[in-house]
Amino acid sequence: AGDIGDLGVFVPTIQFGYGGVGGVIHGKNMYIEDEQRLYIESAKVTAMTVIDLMSHPDKVKRVVESFKPAMTKEEYFKYLNQ
């Protein structure tokens, strides 16, 4: 978990959503519903994504080079302080 949305304003990012939990995400009633799905399948998805990215550096380079930040740091801080 983290502030990936904040980072994604400035650089290309990937955000994963994983299953295997119940209750309200980050809530007091959040609980593990399916260990296989949460731990094993999530790790496989992450590992395979890393393999895909490392296997296609030309595509990664294209994404990085074509990325246009949503706003400048100054605009971002102004937005945060509204």
Side-chain angles (χ1 to χ4, degrees):
D3 294 322
I4 194 72
D6 294 331
L7 188 59
V9 170
F10 305 108
V11 296
T13 58
I14 298 172
Q15 182 171 4
F16 297 100
Y18 298 117
V21 296
V24 175
I25 300 296
H26 302 296
K28 290 181 180 181
N29 68 341
M30 183 177 170
Y31 63 94
I32 297 169
E33 192 170 63
D34 183 338
E35 290 183 357
Q36 175 74 23
R37 185 170 180 202
L38 178 60
Y39 300 126
I40 306 302
E41 293 176 19
S42 297
K44 287 179 182 179
V45 167
T46 303
M48 293 305 295
T49 301
V50 170
I51 290 169
D52 287 343
L53 291 170
M54 293 179 71
S55 298
H56 302 283
D58 54 320
K59 292 181 181 179
V60 173
K61 184 177 178 181
R62 257 195 339 260
V63 168
V64 171
E65 289 175 347
S66 67
F67 181 81
K68 295 186 181 15
M71 58 182 78
T72 66
K73 289 180 185 176
E74 292 77 18
E75 291 169 331
Y76 179 71
F77 288 125
K78 185 177 179 181
Y79 168 77
L80 287 179
N81 291 315
Q82 292 182 34

